Amino acid sequence: MDKKYIERPKTFNKKEYNKEYQKKHYRQVTFSMTPELKERLDNYCSQAKISRTDFIRLALDVLEKQ
């Protein structure tokens, strides 16, 4: 029998796993803002050493407490 026709067990594919994990556990949000507002956001995030996602999470926490 030729080697290329031998059934081999499936190997773990980290790239595929990560793709499926992202698909199940995360959603993307896209929006537009003025360049000035984006610059403010980027400056704030870099000074606070947080990601944009963390910024949104913190903003929501503050708004929910009001």
Side-chain angles (χ1 to χ4, degrees):
M1 186 176 255
D2 196 5
K3 282 186 177 181
K4 69 179 182 178
Y5 294 111
I6 296 175
E7 282 192 40
R8 292 182 170 80
K10 290 187 177 186
T11 58
F12 178 72
N13 186 342
K14 185 174 183 186
K15 197 173 190 178
E16 275 300 312
Y17 173 80
N18 286 340
K19 184 178 174 182
E20 288 299 316
Y21 183 86
Q22 291 283 338
K23 194 179 202 181
K24 286 181 182 178
H25 295 96
Y26 291 93
R27 299 291 181 261
Q28 288 189 346
V29 177
T30 304
F31 57 92
S32 298
M33 61 174 63
T34 63
E36 294 83 17
L37 186 56
K38 183 184 182 310
E39 187 175 335
R40 282 178 59 194
L41 176 63
D42 291 342
N43 288 341
Y44 181 85
C45 290
S46 64
Q47 288 173 359
K49 294 182 174 64
I50 61 173
S51 67
R52 291 184 198 130
T53 303
D54 290 336
F55 173 82
I56 293 171
R57 186 179 301 118
L58 290 170
L60 287 172
D61 290 344
V62 168
L63 288 171
E64 287 175 347
K65 288 179 183 178
Q66 291 181 354

